Amino acid sequence: MTPPDASPRATIAIDALGMDQGAHLLVKRALAEVQPGETLRVDGSGPHWDVPLLAWCRQHGHAAETCSDHVLVTRGPFQQGRWAGAAQAGQASLDAVGALAERAPPVWGLAARGAQVEAGSPGFVFRLDEKTAVWAENAAALYRQALASQWDPETAIDWRQDFVLPEAVEDAVVQVMTYLVENENAALLVPARHLGQVHPHFREVMQLLAIQCADEARHVEVFTRRALLHRANPALSGAGGQASLRTLFDSPDFSTSALLLSVLGEGSFVNLLGFLQAHAPDPVTRQIARLVVRDEARHVAFGMSHLEYRLAREPGYRGALQAAIEQRYDELSTGAGLNEEVFDALVLLAAGGLQASELREGFAKVQLLKREMAQGRRMRLVRLGFEAERAGALAELHTRNFM
């Protein structure tokens, strides 16, 4: 066999050093300095010194030929340890840290982006292995922002503040907190289901989803602690609310979940938390609302950024998003949606008392909140490319449970 390049561009001498004694390190380093198809001359000494070298070359995909007192090694087409099937399958290889493939091959598995994946590595099946299906241009920035914005429920909220609310007002707070807990359970578990399906090649999205789950776990904690601050148990969980949240679990598509949960649901919750911060009857509830709303706004930003990225590349996917909104509306059209106790609790918190004039004003404020929620949803849908009238109609179809 004659190597493709008969004029070696590099020469090394391993003398009597055996391949099992470290000579392979010298050969590997020397081969890294030549291009695929170029030849390295290896000089050695000792009885049959070339046999282990030839075996090592075959194992690592390099051509080698013994020529009297030396061996000519022609570097194979792939770097040591790289998955040889990448180029053959037409897939991008892990060439550089930060370089993103449009689709991550299964054999890349759990490898760090930019790593050399050794031939023979097992394949991993990740349902979300396409860039368009998960990516957001600001994922890395949002992850850094999320890290910098983490807060500890034990120290960020002054649970020791001494206050006593009227019984009816405390009951209203507990009812709203009970409602928020079940919604935040959904906001935790839906992205958690997707998290395990994101190919690690898209690590920024994987990391952001992980910290988003941590955010929601923290929200569940603080809402639960506030509900139980002066009561032994939470309040009522309505069947309509549970049915509404159940539909979020029935959407296996990552992008559809981003629309229904983050853009529409959590987007409306940003309005709700602002409402609670403005009308909180006690400092602990106010602190909770102020901290949680910042996290939720970041979740909405990720959902929007992902959908903008996908729609820029797949404009036709807008039809699938519209269908998802309409399907969810149809499934919930006969349900009660937001239960009466939660609505009444919001009215009471906005009223601040039980006088007729106060309740009238509180009712009007809750109606204004609902209009602001719908307007926010409409604006976000317009930003996603929906025509204004269609966006308004779709915004009105969103579940009466707000999430």
Side-chain angles (χ1 to χ4, degrees):
M1 179 183 69
T2 303
D5 185 349
S7 301
R9 298 193 177 188
T11 300
I12 62 169
I14 62 174
D15 300 324
L17 184 65
M19 293 296 287
D20 59 349
Q21 296 174 318
H24 71 287
L25 296 176
L26 299 177
V27 177
K28 284 176 64 175
R29 289 178 63 87
L31 283 172
E33 299 297 323
V34 302
Q35 296 299 314
E38 294 182 349
T39 303
L40 170 73
R41 171 174 170 154
V42 181
D43 294 332
S45 61
H48 308 294
W49 69 272
D50 59 324
V51 175
L53 174 59
L54 295 174
W56 182 90
C57 289
R58 286 194 299 272
Q59 180 183 358
H60 291 81
H62 308 295
E65 180 181 8
T66 300
C67 302
S68 63
D69 60 346
H70 64 273
V71 172
L72 293 178
V73 179
T74 302
R75 179 176 161 176
F78 310 104
Q79 294 180 13
Q80 294 96 339
R82 178 160 298 176
W83 174 50
Q88 296 166 352
Q91 303 284 3
S93 59
L94 288 170
D95 285 328
V97 174
L100 283 168
E102 291 301 317
R103 185 165 192 171
V107 76
W108 284 1
L110 305 179
R113 190 166 70 226
Q116 297 176 8
V117 181
E118 185 176 9
S121 295
F124 289 73
V125 177
F126 291 97
R127 180 172 55 84
L128 299 171
D129 60 358
E130 295 185 44
K131 184 180 180 183
T132 304
V134 298
W135 192 246
E137 293 289 11
N138 63 349
L142 287 173
Y143 175 65
R144 291 192 298 269
Q145 183 186 109
L147 287 178
S149 302
Q150 294 301 290
W151 47 276
D152 182 356
E154 192 62 40
T155 57
I157 298 169
D158 188 358
W159 300 101
R160 295 166 296 184
Q161 291 200 48
D162 187 20
F163 65 87
V164 178
L165 300 177
E167 289 295 307
V169 176
E170 180 66 25
D171 287 343
V173 172
V174 173
Q175 180 60 73
V176 171
M177 293 296 142
T178 302
Y179 161 78
L180 291 174
V181 167
E182 64 189 32
N183 281 271
E184 295 298 77
N185 279 335
L188 188 163
L189 294 173
V190 170
R193 292 177 64 194
H194 294 305
L195 174 58
Q197 297 298 321
V198 176
H199 197 295
H201 180 69
F202 307 108
R203 64 169 185 266
E204 293 86 350
V205 172
M206 179 181 67
Q207 292 166 325
L208 186 57
L209 285 177
I211 207 166
Q212 183 170 320
C213 290
D215 288 341
E216 303 297 4
R218 186 171 57 244
H219 300 170
V220 170
E221 176 186 345
V222 296
F223 291 145
T224 301
R225 288 182 67 170
R226 177 60 188 91
L228 303 181
L229 198 59
H230 299 299
R231 291 289 186 270
N233 295 293
L236 176 70
S237 173
Q242 293 269 19
S244 178
L245 297 175
R246 172 65 185 268
T247 60
L248 296 175
F249 285 82
D250 294 337
S251 176
D253 182 72
F254 182 85
S255 298
T256 298
S257 293
L259 174 73
L260 298 178
L261 175 64
S262 299
V263 172
L264 299 180
E266 290 179 302
S268 294
F269 260 53
V270 168
N271 295 105
L272 177 59
L273 291 165
F275 177 91
L276 290 177
Q277 188 176 350
H279 300 293
D282 63 86
V284 172
T285 300
R286 189 174 304 110
Q287 290 173 11
I288 289 173
R290 176 179 58 82
L291 290 166
V292 171
V293 74
R294 296 194 312 220
D295 294 339
E296 296 294 347
R298 188 172 58 251
H299 304 168
V300 177
F302 172 57
M304 286 293 298
S305 182
H306 163 62
L307 289 173
E308 287 174 324
Y309 180 87
R310 179 159 192 173
L311 290 172
R313 287 150 184 80
E314 298 181 18
Y317 188 75
R318 197 170 285 107
L321 297 179
Q322 176 175 326
I325 296 174
E326 293 171 342
Q327 179 181 346
R328 190 179 188 209
Y329 173 79
D330 290 341
E331 291 177 5
L332 298 172
S333 60
T334 59
L338 187 71
N339 73 59
E340 182 178 348
E341 285 73 15
V342 174
F343 181 84
D344 291 347
L346 292 174
V347 169
L348 181 54
L349 293 181
L354 292 172
Q355 299 297 320
S357 59
E358 294 172 326
L359 291 173
R360 184 179 299 108
E361 183 176 354
F363 182 86
K365 289 178 179 177
V366 174
Q367 295 303 315
L368 176 60
L369 168 65
K370 292 170 65 176
R371 291 194 296 273
E372 290 174 344
M373 287 177 168
Q375 175 68 2
R377 293 191 295 267
R378 186 191 72 81
M379 292 176 62
R380 289 188 292 277
L381 289 171
V382 168
R383 183 174 151 190
L384 292 176
F386 288 92
E387 182 269 331
E389 184 176 351
R390 171 57 56 189
L394 292 174
E396 293 295 338
L397 294 182
H398 184 64
T399 170
R400 286 168 286 176
N401 192 53
F402 301 157
M403 181 64 85

